[in-house]
Amino acid sequence: MRSTILKILRKAGASYISGEEIAKRLGVSRTAVWKHIRELREAGYDIVSQSRNGYALKVAPDRLLPEEIKNGLRTKRIGRDIVFLEEIDSTNNVAKQLAAQGAAEGTVVVAEEQGKGRGRLERPYFCPKGKGIWFSVILRPQFLPREAPKCTFLAAVAVAMAMERFGLRAEIKWPNDILHEGRKLTGILTEMSAELDGINYIVIGTGINVNIAAEEFPEDIRDKATSLSQMKGEPLPRIAVFQAVLEAMDELWALLEREGFAPIVERWRKYAVTLGQEVHVIGAAKKETFDGRAVDIDEEGALLVETEEGMRRVLAGDVSIRPKQG
């Protein structure tokens, strides 16, 4: 109902439209219309009213509300269902619960603030209120569990593609860190529920630093993190950025289903900054480290590192990669 009222008000533009006319179109009472208008105002919409003229929408809020995200969104699956939360510990946790309950593929969970955002290897991720895009997407792929890293690469490429629409050039550090001048712009965490022979669901959690000023980052990560607004030199519209990301994900997911992982890999290479670098590989338990040159990724997304002892295959879930010092 609220979405329909917003569509009517948007179509009217700067003109006023009466509560009676809105009620007639919706087949409800004028009192019901008034109640929904009140709820929209409470959500942050600047809807003005004039006696005898009705209502007009002046300004929509800078909030990641489903009505705003869906307005003009051009996707076939991803983002058709959107769950909005003001504040949550982790959108991934909510998305996993929804997925286990049968939520449709493409369902998006988005929050204005995330209290316990995390990335790979359980590293914490800074998710301040109203400053970024913190969301998770539910997917139900037909491939085997060992192929799940494909989704992580897809998410990184989607963010990079979306950035290009705003004139920003992304750099991807293997496997999925989006960087600018060596500082991190995003965090991506893929989790799944699977059996031996198939995947029940995959949840891709993504955090994008959009309008965070340098001084707003905690001191311990200030020299390691940045935001799109710092990169651009001005604030960016979060709704438009989010729509661009969802549309890129939708396009890439259809491409993956249609043509396999190869075209995703090719697009990933376009943005990759790890390939060709001398790297220091650190095992998750730090029991093994080795140096080498990152030469490529294989058909499953594993990093191929050329060492003195020969080629080593590095899995995304096993290690952290650091540029070799000296």
Side-chain angles (χ1 to χ4, degrees):
M1 184 76 73
R2 285 176 28 165
S3 297
T4 306
I5 291 175
L6 284 172
K7 287 179 182 178
I8 293 172
L9 292 174
R10 285 194 175 101
K11 190 172 182 179
S15 301
Y16 285 83
I17 184 165
S18 70
E20 183 178 358
E21 176 62 23
I22 296 173
K24 182 179 177 181
R25 294 188 191 183
L26 297 179
V28 298
S29 67
R30 291 179 60 183
T31 301
V33 170
W34 177 81
K35 287 181 179 179
H36 285 294
I37 293 289
R38 183 181 62 186
E39 290 174 358
L40 287 167
R41 285 170 170 164
E42 290 172 352
Y45 288 90
D46 184 3
I47 299 174
V48 296
S49 58
Q50 282 188 357
S51 178
R52 298 183 181 180
N53 289 327
Y55 303 100
L57 174 63
K58 295 300 182 182
V59 180
D62 179 28
R63 302 178 70 216
L64 302 176
L65 300 171
E67 293 87 352
E68 292 304 300
I69 298 166
K70 290 183 178 182
N71 181 37
L73 181 67
R74 298 169 297 177
T75 61
K76 293 182 178 179
R77 272 182 291 180
I78 296 180
R80 307 320 298 174
D81 294 322
I82 299 175
V83 176
F84 170 79
L85 300 160
E86 192 69 44
E87 181 180 353
I88 194 66
D89 58 348
S90 166
T91 57
N92 261 28
N93 289 344
V94 175
K96 286 187 291 185
Q97 292 173 5
L98 292 174
Q101 294 166 7
E105 180 175 74
T107 297
V108 172
V109 178
V110 60
E112 281 292 334
E113 183 177 7
Q114 194 172 225
K116 295 182 180 179
R118 65 192 192 282
R120 281 196 321 116
L121 307 179
E122 293 298 316
R123 296 191 182 100
Y125 197 85
F126 179 56
C127 305
K129 185 172 184 177
K131 297 288 186 175
I133 302 169
W134 328 118
F135 74 104
S136 299
V137 176
I138 297 171
L139 297 175
R140 298 186 182 277
Q142 298 302 307
F143 45 72
L144 296 174
R146 60 182 172 82
E147 301 176 87
K150 293 177 180 180
C151 296
T152 301
F153 285 84
L154 181 150
V157 174
V159 174
M161 289 171 58
M163 287 173 59
E164 285 191 330
R165 286 169 58 172
F166 295 86
L168 302 174
R169 171 68 183 177
E171 302 171 345
I172 302 180
K173 172 190 166 188
W174 182 88
N176 58 18
D177 284 346
I178 307 291
L179 307 177
H180 173 61
E181 296 180 346
R183 296 187 178 189
K184 195 168 180 177
L185 286 159
T186 67
I188 298 173
L189 175 65
T190 301
E191 300 182 280
M192 72 173 173
S193 167
E195 310 295 336
L196 288 175
D197 58 349
I199 296 173
N200 298 320
Y201 63 79
I202 280 180
V203 168
I204 305 176
T206 306
I208 306 172
N209 303 335
V210 182
N211 294 324
I212 307 177
E215 64 273 12
E216 291 178 311
F217 283 104
E219 288 188 14
D220 61 331
I221 62 170
R222 198 167 292 168
D223 62 343
K224 302 173 184 176
T226 189
S227 66
L228 298 183
S229 62
Q230 290 184 58
M231 191 176 176
K232 184 75 171 178
E234 62 184 14
L236 277 79
R238 289 191 303 150
I239 293 293
V241 173
F242 195 18
Q243 289 175 327
V245 173
L246 295 179
E247 288 169 3
M249 279 190 171
D250 195 69
E251 175 189 337
L252 293 174
W253 187 240
L255 180 64
L256 178 61
E257 290 185 321
R258 188 173 62 249
E259 300 182 26
F261 192 42
I264 309 298
V265 170
E266 284 306 308
R267 297 195 186 202
W268 182 90
R269 289 191 181 108
K270 173 184 173 183
Y271 303 103
V273 293
T274 304
L275 302 185
Q277 284 191 2
E278 295 295 320
V279 296
H280 181 61
V281 180
I282 307 169
K286 298 187 178 181
K287 293 180 180 179
E288 181 187 22
T289 63
F290 62 88
D291 297 328
R293 181 172 176 269
V295 295
D296 204 356
I297 60 173
D298 66 16
E299 66 279 359
E300 294 182 354
L303 185 67
L304 303 179
V305 180
E306 187 176 38
T307 71
E308 293 180 356
E309 292 76 29
M311 195 70 69
R312 298 284 296 269
R313 184 172 183 269
V314 183
L315 299 175
D318 294 341
V319 300
S320 292
I321 296 292
R322 298 287 185 272
K324 186 177 179 181
Q325 301 299 317

